Amino acid sequence: MSAEKAPAESMVFIGKKPVMNYVVACLTSFNSGAKKVVIKARGRAISRAVDTAELLRRSFARDIEIEKIEIGTEEITRSEEQQKSNVSTIEITLVKK
Amino acid sequence: MSAEKAPAESMVFIGKKPVMNYVVACLTSFNSGAKKVVIKARGRAISRAVDTAELLRRSFARDIEIEKIEIGTEEITRSEEQQKSNVSTIEITLVKK
């Protein structure tokens, strides 16, 4: 109980499923005791990450707020062409008040 | 010169053009004296806004940094169906060091 941090923070990776799936995943994390949920996405899923955070905060859990938003870049290698390319990333940290 | 704030801050709206167009728009603003450029986007253009900020910061102007990122929701009325729907928005504030 003392220095255990693991269950207090969880992560939700945004993919191509409907936004509602990710909203439910975040709510489940908070309801099972997480104080902090980090939503991560890259590329075109970034707008879906923002949708998830906004829907959560505005419609489902008004006691959840955005602590921090960070953007970055990851280098990925496409297997077909063996070429490196950059993809943007976003991390939205949500906390329960 | 004294309290004139207008030219010190400019705004770039992200649409459907290639990312490079918006990178150039931001660079032009900074080069003509802006100390702050706010990149705004909504819906699917959000990921392009992040691409613009990342490309600028990492490849074109290493003296530009992200001051603040905000997300929000706007209500829009689709003319065909007369129905209201919500769209997510992002505002990325870039400053020149």
Side-chain angles (χ1 to χ4, degrees):
Chain A
M1 279 299 226
S2 55
E4 281 177 41
K5 220 191 133 195
E9 185 170 334
S10 77
M11 225 164 265
V12 172
F13 290 92
I14 308 294
K16 293 182 174 178
K17 292 179 189 165
V19 173
M20 213 38 148
N21 292 39
Y22 305 112
V23 170
V24 171
C26 293
L27 283 176
T28 307
S29 287
F30 278 119
N31 289 340
S32 52
K35 292 276 171 261
K36 203 174 267 198
V37 173
V38 183
I39 300 175
K40 288 192 177 197
R42 56 188 205 177
R44 291 198 190 166
I46 287 175
S47 56
R48 200 169 294 122
V50 175
D51 288 342
T52 304
E54 282 294 298
L55 206 56
L56 250 177
R57 182 164 80 104
R58 292 172 61 92
S59 308
F60 291 94
R62 293 184 168 268
D63 56 344
I64 289 171
E65 58 184 28
I66 294 163
E67 186 187 64
K68 169 173 84 179
I69 304 173
E70 281 179 348
I71 61 175
T73 302
E74 270 178 33
E75 196 177 70
I76 55 167
T77 309
R78 296 192 190 277
S79 51
E80 312 104 54
E81 309 147 36
Q82 290 291 342
Q83 270 195 320
K84 284 177 182 168
S85 64
N86 291 320
V87 63
S88 299
T89 62
I90 197 166
E91 277 191 34
I92 304 173
T93 306
L94 300 170
V95 287
K96 198 159 191 168
K97 276 187 275 192
Chain B
M1 282 295 227
S2 55
E4 282 178 40
K5 218 191 134 194
E9 184 171 333
S10 77
M11 225 164 266
V12 172
F13 290 91
I14 307 295
K16 293 182 175 180
K17 292 180 189 164
V19 173
M20 214 38 149
N21 292 40
Y22 304 112
V23 170
V24 171
C26 292
L27 283 175
T28 307
S29 287
F30 278 119
N31 289 339
S32 54
K35 293 276 171 261
K36 203 174 267 198
V37 174
V38 183
I39 300 175
K40 288 191 178 199
R42 57 189 204 178
R44 293 199 190 164
I46 287 176
S47 56
R48 201 169 293 120
V50 175
D51 289 342
T52 304
E54 282 293 300
L55 205 57
L56 251 176
R57 180 163 82 103
R58 292 172 61 92
S59 309
F60 291 94
R62 294 184 168 269
D63 56 342
I64 289 172
E65 58 183 30
I66 294 164
E67 187 188 62
K68 171 173 82 179
I69 304 173
E70 281 178 347
I71 62 176
T73 301
E74 269 178 33
E75 194 176 72
I76 56 167
T77 309
R78 298 193 187 277
S79 51
E80 312 106 55
E81 309 147 37
Q82 291 290 341
Q83 271 195 320
K84 284 177 183 168
S85 63
N86 290 320
V87 64
S88 299
T89 61
I90 197 166
E91 278 192 34
I92 303 172
T93 306
L94 300 169
V95 286
K96 198 160 191 167
K97 276 187 277 192

mmCIF file of all heavy atoms in Angstrom, chain B residues 9-41:
data_model
loop_
_atom_site.group_PDB
_atom_site.id
_atom_site.type_symbol
_atom_site.label_atom_id
_atom_site.label_comp_id
_atom_site.label_asym_id
_atom_site.label_seq_id
_atom_site.Cartn_x
_atom_site.Cartn_y
_atom_site.Cartn_z
ATOM 1 N N GLU B 9 1.199 38.117 -32.056
ATOM 2 C CA GLU B 9 0.572 36.806 -31.996
ATOM 3 C C GLU B 9 -0.228 36.560 -33.268
ATOM 4 O O GLU B 9 -0.971 37.421 -33.713
ATOM 5 C CB GLU B 9 -0.357 36.738 -30.768
ATOM 6 C CG GLU B 9 -0.961 35.369 -30.585
ATOM 7 C CD GLU B 9 -1.704 35.212 -29.250
ATOM 8 O OE1 GLU B 9 -1.357 35.918 -28.284
ATOM 9 O OE2 GLU B 9 -2.611 34.379 -29.195
ATOM 10 N N SER B 10 -0.054 35.387 -33.849
ATOM 11 C CA SER B 10 -0.858 35.115 -35.041
ATOM 12 C C SER B 10 -1.463 33.724 -34.954
ATOM 13 O O SER B 10 -1.108 32.929 -34.100
ATOM 14 C CB SER B 10 -0.026 35.296 -36.296
ATOM 15 O OG SER B 10 0.805 34.195 -36.486
ATOM 16 N N MET B 11 -2.387 33.447 -35.850
ATOM 17 C CA MET B 11 -3.150 32.219 -35.770
ATOM 18 C C MET B 11 -3.094 31.481 -37.099
ATOM 19 O O MET B 11 -3.178 32.098 -38.154
ATOM 20 C CB MET B 11 -4.595 32.594 -35.461
ATOM 21 C CG MET B 11 -5.196 31.733 -34.400
ATOM 22 S SD MET B 11 -6.683 32.487 -33.768
ATOM 23 C CE MET B 11 -6.007 33.377 -32.357
ATOM 24 N N VAL B 12 -2.955 30.181 -37.044
ATOM 25 C CA VAL B 12 -2.943 29.378 -38.266
ATOM 26 C C VAL B 12 -4.013 28.291 -38.131
ATOM 27 O O VAL B 12 -3.974 27.483 -37.204
ATOM 28 C CB VAL B 12 -1.546 28.742 -38.504
ATOM 29 C CG1 VAL B 12 -1.580 27.754 -39.665
ATOM 30 C CG2 VAL B 12 -0.494 29.811 -38.760
ATOM 31 N N PHE B 13 -4.993 28.307 -39.038
ATOM 32 C CA PHE B 13 -6.056 27.304 -39.000
ATOM 33 C C PHE B 13 -5.697 26.126 -39.904
ATOM 34 O O PHE B 13 -5.393 26.317 -41.080
ATOM 35 C CB PHE B 13 -7.389 27.910 -39.456
ATOM 36 C CG PHE B 13 -7.943 28.887 -38.474
ATOM 37 C CD1 PHE B 13 -7.642 30.236 -38.554
ATOM 38 C CD2 PHE B 13 -8.751 28.439 -37.426
ATOM 39 C CE1 PHE B 13 -8.135 31.137 -37.629
ATOM 40 C CE2 PHE B 13 -9.246 29.346 -36.504
ATOM 41 C CZ PHE B 13 -8.937 30.694 -36.597
ATOM 42 N N ILE B 14 -5.745 24.938 -39.340
ATOM 43 C CA ILE B 14 -5.367 23.739 -40.093
ATOM 44 C C ILE B 14 -6.588 23.181 -40.820
ATOM 45 O O ILE B 14 -7.635 22.952 -40.213
ATOM 46 C CB ILE B 14 -4.803 22.664 -39.146
ATOM 47 C CG1 ILE B 14 -3.665 23.224 -38.280
ATOM 48 C CG2 ILE B 14 -4.335 21.445 -39.940
ATOM 49 C CD1 ILE B 14 -2.434 23.649 -39.007
ATOM 50 N N GLY B 15 -6.439 22.975 -42.121
ATOM 51 C CA GLY B 15 -7.520 22.395 -42.918
ATOM 52 C C GLY B 15 -7.053 21.119 -43.582
ATOM 53 O O GLY B 15 -6.370 20.313 -42.960
ATOM 54 N N LYS B 16 -7.401 20.961 -44.853
ATOM 55 C CA LYS B 16 -7.105 19.695 -45.527
ATOM 56 C C LYS B 16 -5.894 19.736 -46.452
ATOM 57 O O LYS B 16 -5.627 18.783 -47.188
ATOM 58 C CB LYS B 16 -8.339 19.265 -46.323
ATOM 59 C CG LYS B 16 -9.509 18.913 -45.416
ATOM 60 C CD LYS B 16 -10.719 18.428 -46.183
ATOM 61 C CE LYS B 16 -11.809 17.983 -45.208
ATOM 62 N NZ LYS B 16 -13.010 17.494 -45.889
ATOM 63 N N LYS B 17 -5.176 20.843 -46.453
ATOM 64 C CA LYS B 17 -3.989 20.918 -47.319
ATOM 65 C C LYS B 17 -2.838 20.081 -46.751
ATOM 66 O O LYS B 17 -2.875 19.676 -45.589
ATOM 67 C CB LYS B 17 -3.560 22.389 -47.430
ATOM 68 C CG LYS B 17 -4.557 23.238 -48.199
ATOM 69 C CD LYS B 17 -4.086 24.677 -48.268
ATOM 70 C CE LYS B 17 -5.171 25.580 -48.830
ATOM 71 N NZ LYS B 17 -4.884 27.008 -48.559
ATOM 72 N N PRO B 18 -1.801 19.874 -47.545
ATOM 73 C CA PRO B 18 -0.638 19.138 -47.009
ATOM 74 C C PRO B 18 -0.020 19.874 -45.820
ATOM 75 O O PRO B 18 -0.035 21.111 -45.772
ATOM 76 C CB PRO B 18 0.346 19.122 -48.184
ATOM 77 C CG PRO B 18 -0.494 19.325 -49.396
ATOM 78 C CD PRO B 18 -1.637 20.197 -48.966
ATOM 79 N N VAL B 19 0.515 19.097 -44.876
ATOM 80 C CA VAL B 19 1.080 19.645 -43.636
ATOM 81 C C VAL B 19 2.091 20.755 -43.916
ATOM 82 O O VAL B 19 2.149 21.766 -43.214
ATOM 83 C CB VAL B 19 1.753 18.515 -42.825
ATOM 84 C CG1 VAL B 19 2.498 19.067 -41.627
ATOM 85 C CG2 VAL B 19 0.713 17.503 -42.360
ATOM 86 N N MET B 20 2.876 20.553 -44.984
ATOM 87 C CA MET B 20 3.933 21.511 -45.296
ATOM 88 C C MET B 20 3.414 22.934 -45.504
ATOM 89 O O MET B 20 4.092 23.897 -45.151
ATOM 90 C CB MET B 20 4.662 21.027 -46.546
ATOM 91 C CG MET B 20 6.107 21.363 -46.519
ATOM 92 S SD MET B 20 6.756 21.175 -44.841
ATOM 93 C CE MET B 20 8.356 20.712 -45.243
ATOM 94 N N ASN B 21 2.215 23.057 -46.061
ATOM 95 C CA ASN B 21 1.631 24.387 -46.242
ATOM 96 C C ASN B 21 1.496 25.126 -44.910
ATOM 97 O O ASN B 21 1.740 26.329 -44.816
ATOM 98 C CB ASN B 21 0.225 24.289 -46.852
ATOM 99 C CG ASN B 21 0.237 23.787 -48.281
ATOM 100 O OD1 ASN B 21 1.006 22.877 -48.602
ATOM 101 N ND2 ASN B 21 -0.591 24.356 -49.135
ATOM 102 N N TYR B 22 1.096 24.388 -43.884
ATOM 103 C CA TYR B 22 0.873 25.008 -42.571
ATOM 104 C C TYR B 22 2.193 25.281 -41.858
ATOM 105 O O TYR B 22 2.318 26.260 -41.123
ATOM 106 C CB TYR B 22 -0.058 24.124 -41.733
ATOM 107 C CG TYR B 22 -1.359 23.857 -42.459
ATOM 108 C CD1 TYR B 22 -1.676 22.591 -42.916
ATOM 109 C CD2 TYR B 22 -2.238 24.899 -42.738
ATOM 110 C CE1 TYR B 22 -2.854 22.349 -43.616
ATOM 111 C CE2 TYR B 22 -3.415 24.670 -43.444
ATOM 112 C CZ TYR B 22 -3.714 23.398 -43.880
ATOM 113 O OH TYR B 22 -4.866 23.175 -44.578
ATOM 114 N N VAL B 23 3.179 24.421 -42.113
ATOM 115 C CA VAL B 23 4.513 24.663 -41.557
ATOM 116 C C VAL B 23 5.052 25.979 -42.105
ATOM 117 O O VAL B 23 5.550 26.828 -41.357
ATOM 118 C CB VAL B 23 5.472 23.489 -41.895
ATOM 119 C CG1 VAL B 23 6.910 23.844 -41.528
ATOM 120 C CG2 VAL B 23 5.039 22.214 -41.178
ATOM 121 N N VAL B 24 4.893 26.158 -43.418
ATOM 122 C CA VAL B 24 5.367 27.389 -44.058
ATOM 123 C C VAL B 24 4.604 28.601 -43.525
ATOM 124 O O VAL B 24 5.193 29.651 -43.243
ATOM 125 C CB VAL B 24 5.250 27.283 -45.601
ATOM 126 C CG1 VAL B 24 5.516 28.625 -46.268
ATOM 127 C CG2 VAL B 24 6.203 26.222 -46.127
ATOM 128 N N ALA B 25 3.292 28.455 -43.329
ATOM 129 C CA ALA B 25 2.489 29.567 -42.792
ATOM 130 C C ALA B 25 2.990 29.982 -41.413
ATOM 131 O O ALA B 25 3.105 31.183 -41.118
ATOM 132 C CB ALA B 25 1.018 29.160 -42.721
ATOM 133 N N CYS B 26 3.320 29.004 -40.572
ATOM 134 C CA CYS B 26 3.825 29.309 -39.226
ATOM 135 C C CYS B 26 5.188 29.989 -39.300
ATOM 136 O O CYS B 26 5.434 30.984 -38.617
ATOM 137 C CB CYS B 26 3.949 28.025 -38.396
ATOM 138 S SG CYS B 26 2.373 27.268 -37.982
ATOM 139 N N LEU B 27 6.063 29.434 -40.146
ATOM 140 C CA LEU B 27 7.401 30.016 -40.293
ATOM 141 C C LEU B 27 7.323 31.456 -40.775
ATOM 142 O O LEU B 27 8.041 32.328 -40.285
ATOM 143 C CB LEU B 27 8.235 29.189 -41.274
ATOM 144 C CG LEU B 27 8.797 27.876 -40.733
ATOM 145 C CD1 LEU B 27 9.494 27.099 -41.846
ATOM 146 C CD2 LEU B 27 9.770 28.127 -39.577
ATOM 147 N N THR B 28 6.416 31.703 -41.713
ATOM 148 C CA THR B 28 6.237 33.056 -42.251
ATOM 149 C C THR B 28 5.807 34.013 -41.139
ATOM 150 O O THR B 28 6.312 35.130 -41.039
ATOM 151 C CB THR B 28 5.183 33.038 -43.380
ATOM 152 O OG1 THR B 28 5.573 32.051 -44.330
ATOM 153 C CG2 THR B 28 5.081 34.383 -44.067
ATOM 154 N N SER B 29 4.888 33.558 -40.294
ATOM 155 C CA SER B 29 4.441 34.398 -39.176
ATOM 156 C C SER B 29 5.587 34.730 -38.238
ATOM 157 O O SER B 29 5.786 35.884 -37.858
ATOM 158 C CB SER B 29 3.363 33.676 -38.362
ATOM 159 O OG SER B 29 2.164 33.658 -39.075
ATOM 160 N N PHE B 30 6.341 33.704 -37.860
ATOM 161 C CA PHE B 30 7.469 33.941 -36.957
ATOM 162 C C PHE B 30 8.493 34.867 -37.601
ATOM 163 O O PHE B 30 9.011 35.784 -36.957
ATOM 164 C CB PHE B 30 8.137 32.624 -36.554
ATOM 165 C CG PHE B 30 7.439 31.905 -35.423
ATOM 166 C CD1 PHE B 30 6.915 30.633 -35.592
ATOM 167 C CD2 PHE B 30 7.313 32.510 -34.167
ATOM 168 C CE1 PHE B 30 6.268 29.971 -34.559
ATOM 169 C CE2 PHE B 30 6.669 31.858 -33.113
ATOM 170 C CZ PHE B 30 6.146 30.587 -33.306
ATOM 171 N N ASN B 31 8.749 34.648 -38.880
ATOM 172 C CA ASN B 31 9.755 35.464 -39.557
ATOM 173 C C ASN B 31 9.327 36.906 -39.747
ATOM 174 O O ASN B 31 10.163 37.789 -39.891
ATOM 175 C CB ASN B 31 10.144 34.831 -40.896
ATOM 176 C CG ASN B 31 10.965 33.576 -40.698
ATOM 177 O OD1 ASN B 31 11.576 33.370 -39.642
ATOM 178 N ND2 ASN B 31 10.971 32.711 -41.703
ATOM 179 N N SER B 32 8.001 37.144 -39.733
ATOM 180 C CA SER B 32 7.567 38.537 -39.861
ATOM 181 C C SER B 32 7.310 39.153 -38.485
ATOM 182 O O SER B 32 6.606 40.146 -38.361
ATOM 183 C CB SER B 32 6.350 38.636 -40.774
ATOM 184 O OG SER B 32 5.333 37.785 -40.353
ATOM 185 N N GLY B 33 7.869 38.537 -37.463
ATOM 186 C CA GLY B 33 7.899 39.200 -36.162
ATOM 187 C C GLY B 33 7.009 38.641 -35.071
ATOM 188 O O GLY B 33 7.063 39.109 -33.936
ATOM 189 N N ALA B 34 6.181 37.644 -35.386
ATOM 190 C CA ALA B 34 5.312 37.080 -34.340
ATOM 191 C C ALA B 34 6.158 36.360 -33.297
ATOM 192 O O ALA B 34 7.106 35.652 -33.636
ATOM 193 C CB ALA B 34 4.303 36.125 -34.956
ATOM 194 N N LYS B 35 5.786 36.564 -32.035
ATOM 195 C CA LYS B 35 6.483 35.876 -30.957
ATOM 196 C C LYS B 35 5.727 34.605 -30.590
ATOM 197 O O LYS B 35 6.252 33.732 -29.906
ATOM 198 C CB LYS B 35 6.576 36.782 -29.714
ATOM 199 C CG LYS B 35 7.467 37.989 -29.904
ATOM 200 C CD LYS B 35 8.920 37.630 -29.639
ATOM 201 C CE LYS B 35 9.870 38.752 -30.038
ATOM 202 N NZ LYS B 35 10.469 38.509 -31.368
ATOM 203 N N LYS B 36 4.488 34.549 -31.030
ATOM 204 C CA LYS B 36 3.603 33.474 -30.657
ATOM 205 C C LYS B 36 2.703 33.114 -31.842
ATOM 206 O O LYS B 36 2.142 33.989 -32.480
ATOM 207 C CB LYS B 36 2.726 33.979 -29.497
ATOM 208 C CG LYS B 36 2.145 32.923 -28.627
ATOM 209 C CD LYS B 36 1.432 33.534 -27.426
ATOM 210 C CE LYS B 36 2.314 33.646 -26.200
ATOM 211 N NZ LYS B 36 1.543 33.832 -24.945
ATOM 212 N N VAL B 37 2.600 31.834 -32.144
ATOM 213 C CA VAL B 37 1.689 31.387 -33.202
ATOM 214 C C VAL B 37 0.777 30.307 -32.621
ATOM 215 O O VAL B 37 1.255 29.347 -32.019
ATOM 216 C CB VAL B 37 2.457 30.843 -34.428
ATOM 217 C CG1 VAL B 37 1.494 30.246 -35.449
ATOM 218 C CG2 VAL B 37 3.284 31.944 -35.091
ATOM 219 N N VAL B 38 -0.530 30.500 -32.786
ATOM 220 C CA VAL B 38 -1.490 29.521 -32.280
ATOM 221 C C VAL B 38 -2.020 28.697 -33.458
ATOM 222 O O VAL B 38 -2.592 29.229 -34.400
ATOM 223 C CB VAL B 38 -2.662 30.202 -31.543
ATOM 224 C CG1 VAL B 38 -3.610 29.162 -30.969
ATOM 225 C CG2 VAL B 38 -2.146 31.105 -30.438
ATOM 226 N N ILE B 39 -1.795 27.389 -33.396
ATOM 227 C CA ILE B 39 -2.294 26.477 -34.419
ATOM 228 C C ILE B 39 -3.643 25.940 -33.954
ATOM 229 O O ILE B 39 -3.743 25.393 -32.860
ATOM 230 C CB ILE B 39 -1.320 25.291 -34.605
ATOM 231 C CG1 ILE B 39 0.064 25.787 -35.037
ATOM 232 C CG2 ILE B 39 -1.858 24.293 -35.612
ATOM 233 C CD1 ILE B 39 1.098 24.661 -35.120
ATOM 234 N N LYS B 40 -4.665 26.108 -34.789
ATOM 235 C CA LYS B 40 -6.000 25.644 -34.403
ATOM 236 C C LYS B 40 -6.522 24.623 -35.401
ATOM 237 O O LYS B 40 -6.345 24.784 -36.607
ATOM 238 C CB LYS B 40 -6.990 26.813 -34.378
ATOM 239 C CG LYS B 40 -6.794 27.757 -33.239
ATOM 240 C CD LYS B 40 -7.979 28.713 -33.157
ATOM 241 C CE LYS B 40 -7.820 29.646 -31.967
ATOM 242 N NZ LYS B 40 -9.096 30.265 -31.577
ATOM 243 N N ALA B 41 -7.194 23.601 -34.890
ATOM 244 C CA ALA B 41 -7.778 22.597 -35.779
ATOM 245 C C ALA B 41 -8.973 21.970 -35.109
ATOM 246 O O ALA B 41 -9.122 22.014 -33.888
ATOM 247 C CB ALA B 41 -6.753 21.525 -36.114
#
